[in-house]
Amino acid sequence: MVSFTPDDVEQRQVLLDSWVQTRREIAALEARAAGLLHERLSVLDADVRESPFHRDAIHRSMIAEYSAAGRVSTGSVEYAFTDTRDLHGWLPVARAAFEGGEITAAHVREIVRAGGIVREAVIEGRVDAETLSLFDTAATVAATGDNPARTRALVRQIAAALAGETLVDRHTRAKSERTVTMRPAGDGLALLMVVLPEYLATAIVDRLTRLAHEIIAARDDQEPALDPDLLDDGPDPIYESDIDPSADFGPRADIDFNSRAGAGSSAVSDFDSSARADSRAGEDSRAGEDSRAGEDSRAGEDSGAFDSGADAVASAIFGESDTFTTDPHPDLTADLIDPLTDPAHSLDIEHYPADTRGIDEIRADLLTDLLLASDPTAAHGTGLDNITARIQVTVAATTIADADDRPAELDGHGPLHPDAARALAGGSSIWTRLFTDPTGMITETDTYTPTASMRRHLRARDQHCRFPGCRMPVHRCEIDHNHDHAKGGKTALCNLAHFCTGHHVLKHPDVDERHRWNARLHPDGSIRWTSPLGNTYVDSAPRRVMFV
């Protein structure tokens, strides 16, 4: 196996370091741009003081100009001004980290959004003013160690813990904002927007995803279903009864052989066994007489009319037990493909169109089917009714017992209203008791069978894939032996962690060592990943915030 040379490693490390440094410089420039927006807000305030009656017009004019000059949507400009006002107003620690390139504009956005309830609690006098400084520091520490998506869940937990009961009040008020709206998206598409409790939205996306995976897995097993309305839309249609083995194939009332065929066809309007014997015995003589007799008749009536009896006999295909059929294309028989030898290319076979939809398309189709038809369409898979949504919620026993209203936690997303947690608990048959240390770290779970209890413990501890920045939920991940079991690794909590499929394969023994990663779980629950270049990245164990 070929290994990297020192020059190869150095080249890759230089490119990585340069990219990271460039990203820091971009973040610093974004912080500088935010500072310019803050200066513009000072000008806005001065303009409003001069003309207070035109406050809205002055503000709209400013937003419109920055939107046009920067080629940015009006909504994005509004958010940028709001973020910079809060950043420079009460988040000095986060601002310093932003200006130093340690966090990005996306991190700042999550900190500002989450900190709103803390600021509201301070303004209303429910918590001390120092609480804002605590949130600023804690949120910045969380942001510097993770990506924006993970930062969102962490800072929301921090804010909820510091704001206390205001979280319950906010969730109660926000529940009345549930809505469904629609706006055109162009090219015949539309954007359907639904605002509803987060735990319900999480469950909906999870179920749609699992349904979609079931459909993709069953693509090769589906059987085509013929649509009776689309069997044949030609001038001489085929009806469903025509292909029904139990149907009575008597003479069709709408076909008059004598009137359409001409004088020469009356002798074959009704086939019987003797007529077939005669036709086979004297085929040449009849072909010379009857066809000439019928030719004049057809030429005088309609050249496109129904074939004569002689032509019908000539194109008839006789079988056993007095059965027969007619060849629809007697002159093209040589060009037809036998469906028994080449069914893939035969025109006589009804080919079911392949399902080439991606998972996002399938989820959109399933959502449409479930809302409009109340059940997934049978044409794209079966057995979907048994697939249910899965979410994981952590809630205090005292809250379940209705002894208090401490917020629960929707794992991987943030706080959950206690009433919603109680409702979910009432319909759940799977329970796991968690024991935490004073820092909020999971130390053990209740025990049933050893294997099951370890899985429950790992699900509670990890919550999502443990690769830095990945938020794939644990029920879509695989449990990995950090130290390969085949090489002596133990099946123990200190050697197990959840990795999604994409990150699990990074450390697989079959991967070339030049591209293979290494992961080691430490006693504090953190996992240290080592890249092929020797760089280390630490994923800290998700903490359970204690609500007080």
Side-chain angles (χ1 to χ4, degrees):
M1 184 178 294
V2 180
S3 301
F4 282 141
T5 66
D7 289 341
D8 291 335
V9 174
E10 182 179 2
Q11 179 193 28
R12 288 162 172 75
Q13 188 64 54
V14 167
L15 291 173
L16 177 63
D17 292 342
S18 298
W19 178 80
V20 171
Q21 180 59 33
T22 301
R23 294 278 300 174
R24 291 177 64 93
E25 293 172 0
I26 291 172
L29 287 174
E30 289 179 329
R32 181 182 174 187
L36 295 173
L37 293 181
H38 184 254
E39 292 181 19
R40 181 61 179 85
L41 286 174
S42 299
V43 176
L44 172 70
D45 293 339
D47 292 339
V48 169
R49 284 194 296 270
E50 291 182 4
S51 304
F53 292 105
H54 301 287
R55 175 190 299 271
D56 291 341
I58 294 172
H59 182 266
R60 286 197 300 269
S61 176
M62 179 189 72
I63 297 298
E65 184 162 6
Y66 272 78
S67 174
R71 297 186 295 278
V72 182
S73 68
T74 300
S76 297
V77 173
E78 287 271 16
Y79 277 130
F81 273 106
T82 300
D83 291 347
T84 194
R85 185 184 290 277
D86 290 335
L87 183 67
H88 288 78
W90 54 277
L91 293 169
V93 178
R95 184 176 74 248
F98 191 22
E99 293 172 348
E102 298 177 26
I103 61 176
T104 67
H107 289 96
V108 171
R109 188 169 302 115
E110 300 301 340
I111 294 173
V112 171
R113 301 290 186 278
I117 62 171
V118 180
R119 188 162 180 259
E120 177 184 333
V122 171
I123 293 174
E124 295 180 359
R126 292 194 296 270
V127 296
D128 296 335
E130 296 179 354
T131 307
L132 277 178
S133 298
L134 291 175
F135 172 79
D136 184 19
T137 302
T140 303
V141 170
T144 54
D146 237 319
N147 62 26
R150 282 194 178 182
T151 297
R152 180 187 305 119
L154 291 172
V155 296
R156 289 172 67 181
Q157 292 171 348
I158 294 169
L162 294 175
E165 293 298 321
T166 60
L167 175 75
V168 177
D169 298 335
R170 287 178 60 85
H171 279 212
T172 301
R173 290 196 304 269
K175 191 174 181 180
S176 63
E177 299 175 5
R178 302 189 310 278
T179 183
V180 178
T181 57
M182 187 273 288
R183 65 177 177 84
D187 297 327
L189 299 176
L191 179 63
L192 181 67
M193 294 171 285
V194 183
V195 178
L196 73 169
E198 189 173 27
Y199 72 96
L200 294 178
T202 302
I204 289 171
V205 173
D206 179 80
R207 184 167 190 244
L208 289 175
T209 300
R210 298 178 67 201
L211 290 170
H213 283 306
E214 182 74 12
I215 288 175
I216 292 173
R219 278 175 174 170
D220 296 335
D221 299 332
Q222 59 188 354
E223 296 181 359
L226 294 177
D227 186 344
D229 296 330
L230 299 176
L231 286 177
D232 189 352
D233 58 357
D236 189 17
I238 298 174
Y239 296 91
E240 190 172 12
S241 60
D242 296 334
I243 59 176
D244 184 357
S246 63
D248 180 12
F249 291 99
R252 282 278 298 278
D254 58 340
I255 299 179
D256 185 350
F257 284 88
N258 291 326
S259 63
R260 296 180 65 190
S265 66
S266 59
V268 292
S269 62
D270 184 21
F271 289 99
D272 57 23
S273 59
S274 61
R276 285 197 302 278
D278 292 340
S279 69
R280 289 193 293 270
E283 184 175 354
D284 294 338
S285 62
R286 278 201 312 281
E289 295 176 3
D290 293 347
S291 63
R292 285 193 296 274
E295 186 175 17
D296 295 336
S297 171
R298 287 195 305 276
E301 295 179 6
D302 185 5
S303 60
F306 191 81
D307 292 338
S308 70
D311 287 342
V313 173
S315 61
I317 302 174
F318 295 96
E320 298 178 355
S321 303
D322 297 336
T323 61
F324 76 95
T325 186
T326 56
D327 189 343
H329 302 290
D331 299 330
L332 302 176
T333 304
D335 297 330
L336 297 179
I337 300 174
D338 188 346
L340 296 179
T341 59
D342 191 4
H345 298 90
S346 174
L347 298 178
D348 295 320
I349 299 294
E350 183 77 13
H351 296 284
Y352 193 75
D355 187 355
T356 59
R357 298 173 298 169
I359 188 169
D360 286 331
E361 295 174 276
I362 294 177
R363 281 190 292 213
D365 293 343
L366 283 168
L367 180 63
T368 302
D369 287 342
L370 289 167
L371 290 177
L372 298 181
S374 300
D375 197 31
T377 52
H380 296 301
T382 58
L384 303 182
D385 290 338
N386 295 325
I387 297 179
T388 56
R390 295 179 299 187
I391 60 175
Q392 183 166 311
V393 175
T394 302
V395 57
T398 52
T399 304
I400 291 292
D402 208 10
D404 58 51
D405 281 330
R406 290 193 294 172
E409 181 184 344
L410 179 61
D411 288 355
H413 295 275
L416 178 67
H417 195 286
D419 289 343
R422 294 188 191 102
L424 291 171
S428 176
S429 60
I430 302 175
W431 288 84
T432 301
R433 184 172 51 167
L434 307 179
F435 297 89
T436 63
D437 62 18
T439 67
M441 178 68 67
I442 299 291
T443 57
E444 62 176 299
T445 67
D446 59 340
T447 58
Y448 294 102
T449 60
T451 303
S453 65
M454 285 193 294
R455 283 199 297 265
R456 288 196 300 272
H457 180 100
L458 292 170
R459 285 196 299 267
R461 185 196 70 191
D462 293 343
Q463 302 182 37
H464 46 65
C465 171
R466 295 298 307 280
F467 187 86
C470 184
R471 292 191 54 76
M472 184 67 70
V474 289
H475 56 263
R476 297 182 197 161
C477 296
E478 302 167 344
I479 296 179
D480 171 73
H481 287 75
N482 292 172
H483 179 45
D484 193 354
H485 185 267
K487 298 181 179 180
K490 296 181 179 180
T491 304
L493 294 177
C494 59
N495 190 45
L496 299 174
H498 282 93
F499 300 145
C500 68
T501 303
H503 290 129
H504 194 179
V505 298
L506 290 178
K507 61 182 294 295
H508 198 276
D510 292 340
V511 176
D512 189 318
E513 64 179 6
R514 294 175 298 171
H515 310 289
R516 188 190 311 148
W517 287 64
N518 178 271
R520 283 290 177 268
L521 179 63
H522 291 262
D524 63 354
S526 64
I527 297 180
R528 182 179 297 273
W529 287 79
T530 304
S531 75
L533 298 180
N535 299 315
T536 58
Y537 305 90
V538 178
D539 182 75
S540 300
R543 302 268 177 175
R544 301 287 183 177
V545 177
M546 306 306 293
F547 297 95
V548 294

